[in-house]
Amino acid sequence: MKSYKELTRRYLLNQKKRSVLALIGIVLSVALICSAGIMGESLQNMEKENIKQSYGNYHVWYSGVEESQLKLLQGNIKVDAMGSFIPAAIYRPAVGQSALIMGCDKVLAEMSYLKLSSGEFPQEDDEIAMEQWLLDNMKSKPAIGDKISIEIKVVTNQMAETEEELSNRKITKEFVLSGILKNKSSSQFGGGSMAIVTLQTAKKIMDYPNIKYMSALRFKDKVPAQKTIKEIAEILGKKGKDINENSAVLALSGQSNRSSVNNAILIVELIMVLVILVTTVAVIYNVFHISVIERIHQFGILRSVGTTPEQIRRIVLGEALILSFVGLPLGILCGIVAVEGVIGTFALMSANTLFGGLHIIISAKVLILSVILGLVTVLASAYGPAVMAGRVSPLEAILNSAKLNKDKIKKRKHPILQKIFGIEGIMAYENLKRNKKRFFITVFSMCIGIALFIFFSSFMKSMTTVSSGNFSKNYAIDKPMTADTAGYSPKDYEEVAGIKGVKTVYRTRMQNVKTLLTNEQAADSFKNFVKGKGQKLHSKYEGKDYFSFEGELYGLRESELQLCKDAVSRGSIQPEKMDLENGVLVYQKAKFDNDHDRVRVSDLKVGDEISIITKGQNKPQKMKVVGILDNMPLSTNTVWEKFKIVTTEKVWKKVTGEDQFSRFDIELEETADREAVKRQLESIQKRVPDSRLLDFTEVSDQMWEIQISVILYGLVFVISVIGALNIINTISTNLILRTREFGTLRAVGMTPGQMNKMIRLEGIFYGIIATVYGGIAGIGLARLLYSYLNKLKEFTWSFPWESLIIGGLGAMLIGLLATAIPLRRISRMDVVEAVRAEE
Amino acid sequence: MEVLKTINLTKTYGTGNARVEALKDANISIKQGEFVAVVGPSGSGKSTMLHLLGGLDRPTSGSVIIDGKDIYSLSEKERSIFRRRKVGFVFQFYNLIPVLSAEENITLPLLLDNKEIDKAYIEDLIGLLGLKGRKEHLPNELSGGQQQRVSIGRALAYKPSIVFADEPTGNLDSKNGREVMELMRLSVQKYHQTLVVITHDLDIASQADRIIRIEDGMIVRDEAVRA
Ligand SMILES: Nc1ncnc2c1ncn2[C@@H]1O[C@H](COP(=O)(O)OP(=O)(O)OP(=O)(O)O)[C@@H](O)[C@H]1O
Ligand SMILES: [Mg+2]
């Protein structure tokens, strides 16, 4: 032995099992930290890429740039890339559809948000690339290389002309299709779309002197973008609307990172890493704490021969350091393998979900950070025990018995425990509580596992509920009825219902109506709100005072009404009766503005009468309340919750005098050709002004749920494994510390079976106690989540019994399994050896 | 009447050079109600024999017959139950269970059996041991002598037919030691039990009915001091 430090290595080897346990703990936590980091960075990067893809990968574009100025821009050292374009013509294939034909150079095409699905960007004269859907609408169904002849209206000066001027410039032009552009949802749904040609072609079509360019610039990394935009604007002599910033991309370059998604990811990640760190600290601390306790006698001897406390601390910390050197690289490796494996598999499973396009980025930054975090955690957790070891007095070596009864034992009676589990139960329970600190640490990591499990399951549940109302299945087209334009006609309904592959169409009629409540009907919370806001929500009708405010009147068919059934807390849905007496269901809560939470508006009861005033009328009409809705089963297109009045179609038509629809929710057959249905819905949506098409297919994709679940529950699983490590550790330690006790128990006649039972119960009790504390924490967290989400949308709080029970059973099982390893040793115990054991 | 008999009881530890014959062909017979002292130099094999007699260990060869049964032909579980009911142990280092009170430590063998506790007997025993005021105390709240008395109580709780004690007074001062020994003898007499005590204390040995002397694992003397 060269130095006392050699002791470190000997101790580690001497306690092989414990060292392995600590090592597993370190590896798991570093793996978790590392994979959380990799995931976070990859997701962030994906977000950035998405933004660049959908907004174009440039910082600014200037309009009205002279040809002579182009060189100036190109030569600027701050500019990474420059591309130019010229709007050349407009192509209108059908009513409500239009595509802008732009001349642009290759650089621009590449940095824009336009993406080729096949072929190439135009390079030769008269070549053209168009969005897929435009081509689909053409009768000839052209392929790449085909000639297409279209009628276009030529624009001249930066699209400044009126419709009338344009119609005088109709020409028919023949192009060669060089490439097909991917459909871009915003251009498609917005009615505007793109086709591109070369700059040369554009100039030729326009045939106009002194054509001006629009030039988009991407700056080099680290160039202060905002400042440079101004500088270049000055050089070009541009001001105001000639300067078009790409604010989404500018935000990305970090100067003003306002992306809420990024922040959310960051917060989630921080919380995860924090949880992981805390659990790691618990395990490593426990391992070292215990290994020090076991060696108090030895440290006493070391001290008595002249080892300083500092040297002893170094011995212990040295052990931690050696373990880290082995554990950190292994942990990093496991983390990388885990992310690559899990996310890689997800990416293969389907391209359309969260991880579909995820490119995994493993940066040195994340790896180094994980190593540092891991190292700091391990050393910090070992520090306390190291200090404790240093404090051991040399006397402990001489006072043989010093070690055993460090534990403070207090006695209580447990008649119930005795009844259920017998003497073994009592002993198991008392054993748990011998050392408060160790008990706490052991239970703690399990608590975290359970709390996370409960929280995550509530989270998943609310995610699925939040996604939409009862009707939202695959697609919907809707239209705010506030607009003056008409809604969808019965003919539109026939058309939607007739699309091949459509299984069910839920149709909604909705009109904003003025709702009148008497003073008695208005809820106190609403009155206070009105008073507090000073809002003028009072009106006089037919000599009476009312609270009046905007509500939504829905008209539904019987089948749709039945879907509201679960939400009705009082009253009932009887369509015939509702038809006869203007019966309505009411949802009595509303949110009036951004600054206030939802308020309860009224205290209506079944049988009450309320008045409403429909569009274009001034006489109130009486409606009879036949049911109270507790939440909103309806899909709506309003930002805020409003007071809702739901009735039958017949009543709706009668009181509004209209026969229109505000929304169709479409459920598809299993076998439906989604894309085909979507295209037909699009054509209806385009025909009706102001209406939009909603696609729930991706949102409600179960894949998404499964993948998130795998990640969240994976985390829970690993944390539970760490918790189990802690229990294994504590119980095996107890075994070693209590060898003599176990021996005595056997000597006085405890059978191996009884001893097994006692130790197993100890493990199970850990699980039960962890469930109690972890359950409280998890339910608390879930409750917080609920109150947060409840501000956005009404939820019914349901106590998470299911996850509590599953979590509890899981914890008990883990506790039980954790005793398996120590039990093996106990069953091999030699009674004589044990009762003679020297301290 | 004979309660315990050994036939060529032998125990060896280790192999080759490290081989130790801790006990060689011991043949003894102990009668009901006898008080036997086992003496001998340190390392001679006294504890080894006691552990074998009480069914704590396994002999290398030979057998131990108690109440006509070869205890090493029993399964581990059966032997545990046998120990619980038929024999009591008193160790030098008390070996009490720190989480159980004095009274619970005493009644532990009964608790392990889920057996209805003979309250009167236990009360009697606790009184006899002078632990009346200490029933609720935990071991770490008791003095060494009190702890040893608790362990005697535990050994006697099941009214076993034989009590084995391995240097029960080794850790106590002479006054406490005498008291403990006295108590053991009294209770054994009262309940007609057999007592086998290992001791270095000649004073104690001289009170025994019989003295067995072991040297180098062999019984070198076995004689009745009193009849
Ligand atoms: N587990 C073991 N492995 C190897 N040798 C052992 C073991 N246990 C006891 N021995 C040896 O057996 C012999 C008898 O030991 P034992 O403990 O029976 O002696 P003892 O008479 O009780 O001594 P003491 O009076 O010091 O308690 C000793 O030489 C001892 O070294
Ligand atoms: Mg001995």
Side-chain angles (χ1 to χ4, degrees):
Chain A
M1 198 161 100
K2 284 201 192 94
S3 140
Y4 76 92
K5 285 182 184 148
E6 167 69 7
L7 274 171
T8 295
R9 201 180 61 83
R10 299 231 177 134
Y11 274 138
L12 275 179
L13 292 177
N14 191 23
Q15 306 189 311
K16 255 189 211 127
K17 281 203 180 129
R18 188 166 317 285
S19 304
V20 168
L21 218 58
L23 203 60
I24 296 175
I26 295 174
V27 169
L28 283 181
S29 355
V30 173
L32 279 181
I33 295 170
C34 172
S35 44
I38 294 176
M39 279 288 294
E41 195 172 28
S42 306
L43 282 174
Q44 251 174 355
N45 184 66
M46 180 170 78
E47 177 70 16
K48 280 187 185 172
E49 284 306 313
N50 277 348
I51 286 178
K52 284 180 189 166
Q53 303 259 322
S54 43
Y55 292 91
N57 190 8
Y58 59 87
H59 291 110
V60 63
W61 59 274
Y62 301 96
S63 51
V65 180
E66 307 280 346
E67 181 139 22
S68 58
Q69 290 176 321
L70 290 179
K71 288 229 166 49
L72 236 106
L73 291 176
Q74 204 128 42
N76 193 310
I77 48 161
K78 290 181 180 169
V79 174
D80 177 42
M82 187 206 72
S84 299
F85 58 102
I86 316 170
I90 289 169
Y91 165 53
R92 293 231 165 89
V95 182
Q97 295 181 353
S98 81
L100 183 63
I101 298 179
M102 300 231 291
C104 68
D105 55 23
K106 207 159 176 235
V107 181
L108 187 103
E110 271 157 12
M111 69 183 178
S112 76
Y113 50 73
L114 299 170
K115 298 280 166 302
L116 280 171
S117 69
S118 62
E120 274 168 41
F121 288 123
Q123 277 167 330
E124 307 292 326
D125 278 3
D126 294 344
E127 279 187 345
I128 192 166
M130 289 181 133
E131 278 188 34
Q132 177 81 50
W133 71 279
L134 285 170
L135 295 167
D136 290 346
N137 286 355
M138 287 180 190
K139 279 196 202 78
S140 57
K141 306 278 173 228
I144 288 171
D146 287 357
K147 290 203 167 87
I148 45 179
S149 184
I150 51 178
E151 188 176 77
I152 56 177
K153 295 168 186 169
V154 177
V155 299
T156 51
N157 197 4
Q158 309 263 328
M159 302 183 68
E161 41 275 290
T162 62
E163 274 297 313
E164 211 180 322
E165 284 168 326
L166 271 181
S167 39
N168 294 331
R169 286 179 212 276
K170 246 187 245 172
I171 59 166
T172 300
K173 168 109 184 102
E174 196 177 69
F175 294 100
V176 177
L177 189 66
S178 76
I180 299 172
L181 302 175
K182 280 191 184 149
N183 285 341
K184 189 155 187 311
S185 51
S186 64
S187 67
Q188 217 181 139
F189 300 158
S193 192
M194 289 274 183
I196 56 175
V197 296
T198 62
L199 282 175
Q200 276 313 312
T201 318
K203 284 189 216 163
K204 233 171 65 193
I205 296 171
M206 292 167 83
D207 188 25
Y208 185 81
N210 190 21
I211 287 175
K212 290 194 179 151
Y213 293 82
M214 299 180 175
S215 297
L217 302 180
R218 181 173 62 233
F219 302 129
K220 288 181 178 150
D221 282 349
K222 306 225 169 79
V223 167
Q226 294 290 355
K227 211 175 115 209
T228 316
I229 289 173
K230 289 202 190 84
E231 278 171 20
I232 294 180
E234 254 165 54
I235 297 173
L236 298 175
K238 295 289 171 200
K239 275 202 220 70
K241 67 176 180 36
D242 284 344
I243 308 167
N244 302 279
E245 293 180 7
N246 191 354
S247 48
V249 172
L250 281 172
L252 281 185
S253 58
Q255 285 154 355
S256 59
N257 195 338
R258 268 171 280 110
S259 164
S260 57
V261 176
N262 277 350
N263 283 340
I265 291 180
L266 206 70
I267 288 170
V268 167
E269 217 167 281
L270 276 180
I271 292 175
M272 278 204 183
V273 169
L274 214 68
V275 166
I276 295 165
L277 286 185
V278 167
T279 3
T280 316
V281 169
V283 183
I284 311 281
Y285 176 87
N286 201 17
V287 170
F288 278 92
H289 182 74
I290 286 167
S291 85
V292 166
I293 288 179
E294 276 172 18
R295 285 178 291 169
I296 282 192
H297 182 60
Q298 302 175 44
F299 288 136
I301 294 171
L302 284 173
R303 293 277 288 115
S304 67
V305 298
T307 319
T308 66
E310 208 189 320
Q311 286 171 320
I312 291 190
R313 274 206 296 276
R314 261 189 238 143
I315 290 172
V316 176
L317 285 178
E319 291 172 27
L321 213 58
I322 293 178
L323 287 176
S324 304
F325 284 148
V326 183
L328 292 178
L330 267 177
I332 299 272
L333 199 72
C334 291
I336 293 174
V337 168
V339 173
E340 290 278 359
V342 173
I343 306 301
T345 317
F346 286 170
L348 284 182
M349 267 155 65
S350 72
N352 247 345
T353 53
L354 188 56
F355 304 107
L358 187 63
H359 175 65
I360 299 169
I361 293 178
I362 300 170
S363 71
K365 193 175 83 188
V366 165
L367 298 189
I368 290 170
L369 214 66
S370 315
V371 168
I372 291 174
L373 264 180
L375 196 64
V376 169
T377 316
V378 174
L379 289 182
S381 342
Y383 189 74
V387 168
M388 186 174 109
R391 286 217 192 101
V392 171
S393 114
L395 269 182
E396 317 239 15
I398 300 150
L399 297 176
N400 214 0
S401 63
K403 156 190 147 193
L404 194 73
N405 287 323
K406 278 269 144 78
D407 308 347
K408 287 208 180 64
I409 299 161
K410 269 207 217 112
K411 189 70 194 126
R412 273 184 232 118
K413 293 227 177 293
H414 313 285
I416 300 170
L417 219 56
Q418 160 113 43
K419 265 240 166 61
I420 305 174
F421 299 112
I423 180 74
E424 299 95 331
I426 294 192
M427 296 193 50
Y429 185 69
E430 290 293 342
N431 280 336
L432 286 184
K433 301 193 315 182
R434 275 187 184 205
N435 186 323
K436 277 270 149 61
K437 207 157 158 194
R438 199 181 314 146
F439 168 74
F440 173 76
I441 290 168
T442 308
V443 165
F444 181 70
S445 33
M446 282 208 100
C447 284
I448 290 189
I450 292 182
L452 284 183
F453 176 73
I454 292 174
F455 176 67
F456 287 156
S457 9
S458 311
F459 175 74
M460 289 308 297
K461 213 169 129 197
S462 46
M463 273 309 145
T464 36
T465 356
V466 91
S467 61
S468 225
N470 266 347
F471 300 169
S472 306
K473 307 288 186 200
N474 298 107
Y475 295 112
I477 46 180
D478 77 344
K479 175 172 169 40
M481 292 289 264
T482 38
D484 288 334
T485 46
Y488 305 102
S489 64
K491 249 182 77 193
D492 293 328
Y493 171 74
E494 296 301 328
E495 193 177 339
V496 172
I499 295 173
K500 190 165 168 280
V502 169
K503 188 167 141 202
T504 320
V505 180
Y506 301 94
R507 51 187 216 191
T508 311
R509 301 172 192 262
M510 197 280 282
Q511 191 184 85
N512 287 314
V513 296
K514 192 164 269 179
T515 312
L516 305 179
L517 290 181
T518 64
N519 194 43
E520 298 86 68
Q521 286 171 338
D524 288 340
S525 50
F526 181 57
K527 289 177 194 163
N528 289 338
F529 169 79
V530 174
K531 226 183 275 162
K533 273 211 77 187
Q535 279 204 352
K536 305 250 176 312
L537 294 179
H538 297 280
S539 305
K540 244 185 158 60
Y541 284 97
E542 297 166 344
K544 272 198 244 161
D545 271 326
Y546 290 103
F547 284 98
S548 83
F549 54 92
E550 193 149 275
E552 292 173 341
L553 179 68
Y554 288 88
L556 302 178
R557 283 181 300 190
E558 176 161 5
S559 54
E560 284 124 10
L561 272 174
Q562 291 308 335
L563 287 175
C564 302
K565 211 167 62 190
D566 287 343
V568 175
S569 68
R570 268 157 295 152
S572 59
I573 300 175
Q574 288 168 287
E576 296 84 25
K577 234 175 118 196
M578 288 167 83
D579 283 345
L580 284 177
E581 52 188 18
N582 279 7
V584 294
L585 307 168
V586 288
Y587 173 74
Q588 315 198 71
K589 282 171 241 173
K591 187 168 156 64
F592 288 90
D593 59 40
N594 222 348
D595 307 327
H596 291 80
D597 287 345
R598 170 189 321 114
V599 286
R600 190 185 169 84
V601 176
S602 60
D603 287 327
L604 292 168
K605 290 179 295 296
V606 173
D608 284 357
E609 271 194 344
I610 56 170
S611 305
I612 58 167
I613 299 174
T614 55
K615 201 162 71 185
Q617 282 171 311
N618 48 26
K619 217 171 95 56
Q621 305 192 55
K622 293 237 180 302
M623 313 294 277
K624 187 171 171 200
V625 177
V626 300
I628 307 292
L629 289 170
D630 261 4
N631 56 49
M632 299 187 302
L634 303 168
S635 318
T636 59
N637 44 25
T638 40
V639 184
W640 290 321
E641 270 177 69
K642 286 193 179 174
F643 189 86
K644 291 184 170 46
I645 307 161
V646 181
T647 186
T648 61
E649 284 201 319
K650 200 168 157 195
V651 175
W652 191 89
K653 282 199 253 182
K654 189 172 76 192
V655 298
T656 61
E658 286 183 357
D659 185 12
Q660 285 173 359
F661 302 96
S662 54
R663 172 167 174 134
F664 300 126
D665 282 278
I666 293 120
E667 187 178 354
L668 300 182
E669 314 243 4
E670 284 292 319
T671 54
D673 175 353
R674 282 160 188 261
E675 284 304 311
V677 175
K678 190 169 174 177
R679 274 197 297 278
Q680 292 187 62
L681 289 174
E682 268 160 28
S683 69
I684 299 172
Q685 170 246 332
K686 291 210 188 81
R687 202 173 56 219
V688 183
D690 286 335
S691 72
R692 42 175 202 170
L693 175 71
L694 306 167
D695 186 344
F696 300 114
T697 332
E698 281 176 25
V699 180
S700 64
D701 197 341
Q702 289 208 329
M703 216 56 121
W704 183 86
E705 256 176 79
I706 293 169
Q707 295 180 352
I708 289 281
S709 305
V710 167
I711 289 178
L712 295 185
Y713 293 129
L715 183 71
V716 171
F717 176 76
V718 177
I719 287 190
S720 308
V721 170
I722 295 179
L725 283 183
N726 242 343
I727 295 186
I728 293 176
N729 200 8
T730 303
I731 292 184
S732 11
T733 304
N734 282 348
L735 164 75
I736 294 162
L737 290 181
R738 298 188 340 230
T739 313
R740 209 155 103 191
E741 225 176 294
F742 286 127
T744 310
L745 284 171
R746 296 277 283 110
V748 301
M750 188 178 246
T751 62
Q754 284 175 313
M755 182 152 288
N756 285 358
K757 180 179 167 194
M758 179 180 85
I759 290 161
R760 288 206 177 105
L761 278 175
E762 205 171 319
I764 292 174
F765 286 166
Y766 272 118
I768 294 175
I769 293 164
T771 309
V772 172
Y773 293 120
I776 291 170
I779 291 165
L781 281 175
R783 186 71 217 202
L784 277 180
L785 173 78
Y786 155 78
S787 32
Y788 171 70
L789 289 176
N790 201 38
K791 281 191 183 148
L792 309 177
K793 187 173 185 220
E794 174 134 20
F795 280 96
T796 28
W797 164 256
S798 58
F799 194 84
W801 282 117
E802 210 178 318
S803 24
L804 188 64
I805 289 169
I806 294 174
L809 289 179
M812 278 153 69
L813 192 70
I814 288 176
L816 187 63
L817 291 179
T819 58
I821 296 170
L823 262 181
R824 276 225 319 269
R825 283 173 65 174
I826 290 176
S827 63
R828 286 201 304 260
M829 182 180 67
D830 181 342
V831 180
V832 174
E833 202 70 16
V835 290
R836 291 161 43 118
E838 287 267 336
E839 293 299 298
Chain B
M1 201 190 85
E2 186 185 71
V3 286
L4 185 152
K5 191 173 96 177
T6 67
I7 303 166
N8 295 338
L9 194 61
T10 300
K11 178 78 183 180
T12 51
Y13 291 110
T15 50
N17 269 351
R19 189 179 150 98
V20 178
E21 295 209 285
L23 194 65
K24 279 177 263 182
D25 290 327
N27 288 295
I28 56 169
S29 162
I30 295 172
K31 285 204 280 287
Q32 166 103 50
E34 233 178 350
F35 170 12
V36 181
V38 180
V39 296
S42 183
S44 55
K46 304 182 295 290
S47 299
T48 305
M49 183 173 83
L50 197 79
H51 294 147
L52 287 171
L53 296 183
L56 283 181
D57 210 347
R58 285 184 157 280
T60 311
S61 65
S63 46
V64 176
I65 292 161
I66 295 179
D67 283 350
K69 236 184 268 161
D70 179 352
I71 60 170
Y72 289 104
S73 68
L74 300 174
S75 75
E76 185 58 47
K77 180 175 175 181
E78 286 165 339
R79 202 162 50 249
S80 296
I81 294 169
F82 162 81
R83 271 204 303 272
R84 187 191 291 169
R85 297 179 183 164
K86 291 287 178 212
V87 303
F89 275 102
V90 179
F91 300 100
Q92 180 179 350
F93 295 104
Y94 331 132
N95 285 352
L96 298 178
I97 306 304
V99 293
L100 301 180
S101 70
E103 185 177 14
E104 284 167 330
N105 261 294
I106 290 174
T107 52
L108 187 60
L110 301 164
L111 291 171
L112 287 171
D113 232 359
N114 277 325
K115 200 182 136 102
E116 193 61 41
I117 291 168
D118 181 349
K119 281 250 165 64
Y121 169 66
I122 296 295
E123 278 304 309
D124 200 23
L125 190 59
I126 288 174
L128 188 69
L129 294 167
L131 291 169
K132 271 242 144 60
R134 297 281 180 279
K135 284 197 293 197
E136 298 299 320
H137 284 54
L138 291 168
N140 59 3
E141 297 161 347
L142 296 173
S143 75
Q146 289 166 333
Q147 290 189 46
Q148 192 60 302
R149 277 181 267 159
V150 171
S151 82
I152 292 170
R154 182 176 65 192
L156 297 175
Y158 222 115
K159 297 183 203 156
S161 39
I162 313 175
V163 176
F164 296 103
D166 191 345
E167 298 183 44
T169 61
N171 236 17
L172 302 173
D173 62 36
S174 56
K175 179 173 166 281
N176 258 311
R178 259 199 308 282
E179 265 178 42
V180 162
M181 216 37 235
E182 200 51 35
L183 275 172
M184 253 198 303
R185 277 200 25 209
L186 263 175
S187 40
V188 165
Q189 260 166 26
K190 191 165 174 186
Y191 305 112
H192 300 288
Q193 288 156 322
T194 310
L195 178 62
V196 181
V197 180
I198 294 176
T199 183
H200 288 290
D201 190 335
L202 291 178
D203 218 30
I204 294 173
S206 67
Q207 297 167 23
D209 302 325
R210 224 169 113 192
I211 299 177
I212 295 175
R213 184 172 178 83
I214 302 182
E215 277 172 25
D216 278 339
M218 292 204 283
I219 296 174
V220 293
R221 210 170 57 168
D222 179 358
E223 56 184 14
V225 186
R226 263 175 280 263

